[in-house]
Amino acid sequence: MIKKILFLLLIPFLGFSQNIDALFSEKGEIYFSFQYDTKNQLNKLSEIISIDHKTNDDLAFAYANQKEFTEFLKTEIKYKIINKKKVFFTNNSKNNWNYYPTYQQYVDIMTAFADSFPSICRLHHLGTLNSGREILIVQISNNVGQKENEPSFLYTSSMHGDELAGYILSLRLIDYILNGYENNQKLTDLVDGIDIWINPLANPDGAYAGGNQDVWSATRYNANWVDLNRNYPDPEDGPHPDGNSYQTETNIFLGLADSVNFSISANMHGGAEVCNYPWDTWSNLTADDNWWQYVSHEYADSCQTNSSNGYFNYLNDGITNGWDWYSVDGGRQDYMNYFRYCREFTLELSDDKTPNPNDLNDLWDANYPSLLNYMEQSLFGIRGIVTDSITEDPLKAKVEITSHDIDSSHVYSNLPIGNYHRYIYQGNYDVTFSKNGYYPKTINISVLNNNISVNDVQLVPLNTTSITDQISTNIKILNIDILGRESKKGENNIQLIKTKNGAVKKQIKLK
């Protein structure tokens, strides 16, 4: 894969008399490097600045806005400012998605998807930023817009505005799925079985910071110079770990996650080539660490198979636990996993944050089978529908793996269908279904990797009226004889007996 030429001008340590205002006079973020001693020190620094993926064993790279950099200076750590002078690539052919569209072209492409495939595709305008740019997302399903017994799946990209490989890959993925429906069996099965949502550009103000005509002046931060991937509620550090109010972009995705109960999702970034799985904020391993390693290796292995040598093999052969790499507070990945009971990991798709357009075809060839495989994972695992045993109405119930679930790894069944989706590494598990006002139910379930185990469950209400009482109320008969006449003393009677497990059986009482 051809790597984009990137010229870095290193400005030596500037000293603490540096004029901060002058440093941020042209742009609200800076990029810099510094030496660090321990991972604990790096994690502490990550609480005030945004560590970059290029960070290695002793040299860290980071972004900061003026407030963050002022805090960093208090540490008296020597640093170097890095001025990144990017080559402006032009591509006049614009075939096979090997170019970055203008902002208006992006809007037109997303609109055309919905206009061209109205039966399976819908465009949602999630919100408009102060710049006038929009957060757009397409929804794809065979019954688009209708709630069904299927998982909801989410891909988003480029919440860091200068990490744009996923921007083009997401657009191309939408196009590939829509045009392949009913022509390609795997794509047809995905559309028929999953409620698919794809947002190619989560930070349009950062991507088009230099104007709507190109992305070559893109910034990591948004228009308010806030790192959107530090702006989410955090399991360990509370609702505002970065000290900023929730940005408009953040509120848009908080609202989306609240209205659509996503089962699996992925957030596309750039600057490395690796699958980053939870947690980012603390060293705890998830309850499903073996499942995360399994699906992450599935993604990385497929990328390696479908690319030239050396692609997607960073860190642990293309995968890493987030905290093992470096800690991130306020990231969207941990928010979705902890607060939304969704399974989300972070895809780092390219060493070059904004790749040469000529490399985008190679990136597509390497990644699209993996993107489809990860989407397909939402169909596997333990699934079913939870209903009321009397009314058969769907229920929102807690689904918990006994002696297994920790740190919000349980899930809930979703209304209005009552469907649940629990992804887990193959094995045999006791699964407990519970809801206030109902008797809990525990069943033993076996599941294999890349397979489905369907288990519908009915919960019995605590205040269930016995069948005997219902008959007594409705037809006012306490005892009847075999012929249906009112019973008399000494005759044979049929009685309805409630057993210990709640079942009702008939008993003939002989005299």
Side-chain angles (χ1 to χ4, degrees):
M1 185 176 295
I2 301 171
K3 298 295 183 182
K4 178 181 54 169
I5 301 172
L6 185 64
F7 295 103
L8 301 180
L9 175 62
L10 300 184
I11 301 177
F13 168 57
L14 298 173
F16 303 111
S17 61
Q18 169 72 30
N19 187 321
I20 299 299
D21 290 337
L23 190 60
F24 289 90
S25 61
E26 295 185 2
K27 190 165 66 170
E29 69 181 33
I30 61 169
Y31 189 54
F32 62 103
S33 66
F34 59 90
Q35 299 282 339
Y36 69 96
D37 297 322
T38 66
K39 186 174 186 295
N40 183 60
Q41 180 193 30
L42 183 67
N43 287 342
K44 289 292 184 183
L45 291 170
S46 180
E47 295 176 3
I48 60 174
I49 56 178
S50 292
I51 304 300
D52 190 30
H53 307 314
K54 288 181 60 178
T55 297
N56 54 42
D57 290 338
D58 58 0
L59 182 64
F61 295 82
Y63 291 83
N65 60 27
Q66 186 166 347
K67 178 183 175 182
E68 294 163 347
F69 194 65
T70 300
E71 288 299 309
F72 172 79
L73 290 179
K74 294 177 182 178
T75 67
E76 299 188 357
I77 295 174
K78 293 183 178 181
Y79 62 89
K80 292 180 179 179
I81 301 295
I82 303 173
N83 286 337
K84 300 193 296 181
K85 294 185 177 180
K86 294 184 178 179
V87 176
F88 284 62
F89 292 101
T90 59
N91 191 319
N92 294 323
S93 65
K94 296 184 179 178
N95 292 320
N96 288 326
W97 302 96
N98 59 351
Y99 71 102
Y100 296 99
T102 67
Y103 174 73
Q104 188 56 53
Q105 286 173 334
Y106 165 60
V107 174
D108 292 343
I109 291 169
M110 294 288 279
T111 302
F113 287 144
D115 290 345
S116 300
F117 299 90
S119 63
I120 60 171
C121 182
R122 178 173 296 180
L123 175 63
H124 297 273
H125 300 257
L126 297 182
T128 303
L129 308 178
N130 287 336
S131 63
R133 301 184 183 104
E134 292 187 278
I135 306 294
L136 303 174
I137 193 166
V138 296
Q139 180 186 12
I140 303 172
S141 177
N142 64 324
N143 293 303
V144 65
Q146 297 181 26
K147 293 290 187 179
E148 299 182 273
N149 178 20
E150 58 187 23
S152 293
F153 180 92
L154 173 66
Y155 272 136
T156 66
S157 182
S158 306
M159 67 189 306
H160 290 152
D162 60 346
E163 299 175 10
L164 294 172
Y167 175 28
I168 306 306
L169 265 59
S170 295
L171 286 170
R172 190 165 180 177
L173 182 65
I174 296 168
D175 182 72
Y176 184 67
I177 292 172
L178 293 177
N179 281 288
Y181 183 65
E182 295 186 334
N183 298 312
N184 176 297
Q185 190 59 54
K186 181 168 186 173
L187 298 177
T188 302
D189 291 343
L190 293 176
V191 174
D192 287 348
I194 306 171
D195 179 31
I196 302 166
W197 298 70
I198 304 177
N199 158 248
L201 189 57
N203 182 7
D205 282 353
Y208 292 98
N212 288 343
Q213 294 307 113
D214 64 65
V215 299
W216 298 114
S217 297
T219 60
R220 175 188 179 95
Y221 290 10
N222 74 346
N224 295 326
W225 306 113
V226 171
D227 187 332
L228 296 176
N229 205 34
R230 305 294 187 273
N231 193 234
Y232 280 80
D234 188 87
E236 184 176 46
D237 299 285
H240 296 282
D242 64 351
N244 295 306
S245 60
Y246 296 137
Q247 299 297 288
T248 301
E249 297 92 336
T250 306
N251 278 322
I252 285 171
F253 283 99
L254 291 175
L256 179 67
D258 191 48
S259 61
V260 181
N261 295 303
F262 293 109
S263 302
I264 291 188
S265 60
N267 197 357
M268 301 184 199
H269 286 249
E273 297 166 355
V274 69
C275 290
N276 179 108
Y277 59 89
W279 301 100
D280 280 335
T281 191
W282 53 32
S283 60
N284 306 4
L285 295 179
T286 67
D288 300 306
D289 185 69
N290 53 0
W291 181 83
W292 275 119
Q293 292 195 43
Y294 176 81
V295 297
S296 296
H297 272 303
E298 180 184 62
Y299 192 99
D301 291 350
S302 177
C303 283
Q304 294 166 11
T305 299
N306 291 288
S307 65
S308 58
N309 292 336
Y311 180 64
F312 225 95
N313 59 5
Y314 187 47
L315 299 175
N316 179 24
D317 194 29
I319 77 169
T320 185
N321 170 270
W323 191 89
D324 279 348
W325 195 2
Y326 59 86
S327 115
V328 169
D329 301 329
R332 205 195 74 180
Q333 171 180 275
D334 285 5
Y335 167 76
M336 292 294 285
N337 281 278
Y338 191 87
F339 294 102
R340 302 310 314 172
Y341 314 104
C342 176
R343 301 299 183 259
E344 175 168 301
F345 70 176
T346 303
L347 292 173
E348 304 287 351
L349 296 175
S350 170
D351 286 339
D352 293 329
K353 293 190 175 186
T354 307
N356 184 326
N358 292 319
D359 291 342
L360 293 173
N361 279 327
D362 290 336
L363 286 169
W364 168 256
D365 289 340
N367 280 276
Y368 85 84
S370 296
L371 293 169
L372 297 176
N373 288 340
Y374 184 64
M375 189 182 295
E376 188 178 28
Q377 282 293 334
S378 64
L379 293 172
F380 301 144
I382 304 169
R383 62 183 296 179
I385 295 178
V386 184
T387 55
D388 183 299
S389 65
I390 305 300
T391 66
E392 298 187 353
D393 290 338
L395 299 176
K396 179 174 182 176
K398 185 178 183 180
V399 182
E400 188 170 16
I401 311 297
T402 307
S403 301
H404 175 88
D405 280 328
I406 55 173
D407 296 334
S408 291
S409 59
H410 59 275
V411 299
Y412 290 89
S413 54
N414 301 314
L415 296 177
I417 305 299
N419 56 315
Y420 71 92
H421 305 270
R422 180 60 169 91
Y423 308 106
I424 197 164
Y425 193 78
Q426 63 186 17
N428 185 268
Y429 302 94
D430 288 328
V431 185
T432 298
F433 300 80
S434 62
K435 180 177 175 59
N436 287 339
Y438 290 81
Y439 291 102
K441 178 177 289 188
T442 299
I443 60 176
N444 185 263
I445 297 174
S446 294
V447 63
L448 297 174
N449 292 335
N450 291 8
N451 277 269
I452 306 168
S453 179
V454 178
N455 297 268
D456 295 335
V457 172
Q458 290 190 325
L459 296 183
V460 178
L462 291 175
N463 61 349
T464 303
T465 303
S466 70
I467 291 180
T468 301
D469 292 341
Q470 292 177 45
I471 293 175
S472 173
T473 300
N474 293 335
I475 60 177
K476 299 180 180 179
I477 293 178
L478 296 178
N479 291 298
I480 59 174
D481 69 2
I482 295 175
L483 298 177
R485 300 170 305 201
E486 184 178 349
S487 86
K488 298 178 181 178
K489 185 176 180 180
E491 291 186 346
N492 298 332
N493 296 321
I494 296 176
Q495 294 181 326
L496 301 177
I497 308 299
K498 188 174 183 180
T499 63
K500 289 182 179 180
N501 66 3
V504 175
K505 67 180 183 180
K506 293 180 181 179
Q507 175 175 290
I508 299 177
K509 188 175 182 181
L510 301 176
K511 281 288 185 179

